[in-house]
Amino acid sequence: MIAVIAKIPVQEAKRDEALAGVKELIKGVATEEGALAYSLNINKKDPNTFVIIEKYKDKEALGVHSSTPHFKAFMEKAMTFAAGQPEITVYEEVDSI
């Protein structure tokens, strides 16, 4: 399995817009066959950094995700509310419950 952690800094004034954009993205990801989990997480101490935790069946499923129309549309929107470059880390999941 493949796990991804994406940290997206958002502009405080555009936080609601960013939240709506991620929620719309999640609806699209829910239709992807190889997507196993996709969650938005926000630390109360740093509410303007969104952390998305993702799980995919394999590398191919991650590749499909990155090429979907809903992901591409989200990335275009993200350019309007991001406060900096996202930090995206891809992992190979070794074990889980």
Side-chain angles (χ1 to χ4, degrees):
M1 253 188 284
I2 301 298
V4 177
I5 297 177
K7 296 179 182 178
I8 305 170
V10 299
Q11 299 172 43
E12 185 173 356
K14 295 191 173 189
R15 189 173 182 279
D16 290 341
E17 178 185 338
L19 188 58
V22 174
K23 287 182 177 184
E24 185 66 27
L25 173 61
I26 289 171
K27 288 178 187 177
V29 174
T31 68
E32 296 174 23
E33 187 175 321
L36 305 175
Y38 205 92
S39 66
L40 172 61
N41 305 270
I42 300 172
N43 183 334
K44 290 182 181 183
K45 292 181 181 179
D46 185 10
N48 295 319
T49 298
F50 292 3
V51 178
I52 300 173
I53 300 174
E54 313 169 33
K55 281 191 174 184
Y56 300 93
K57 177 181 170 184
D58 51 30
K59 287 182 182 179
E60 290 77 21
L62 174 58
V64 168
H65 165 71
S66 300
S67 66
T68 60
H70 51 265
F71 179 76
K72 289 178 181 180
F74 171 77
M75 291 305 290
E76 284 185 34
K77 288 180 192 174
M79 300 305 290
T80 67
F81 58 69
Q85 289 293 321
E87 177 185 325
I88 300 170
T89 309
V90 179
Y91 300 90
E92 181 178 347
E93 187 174 298
V94 177
D95 199 8
S96 68
I97 59 166

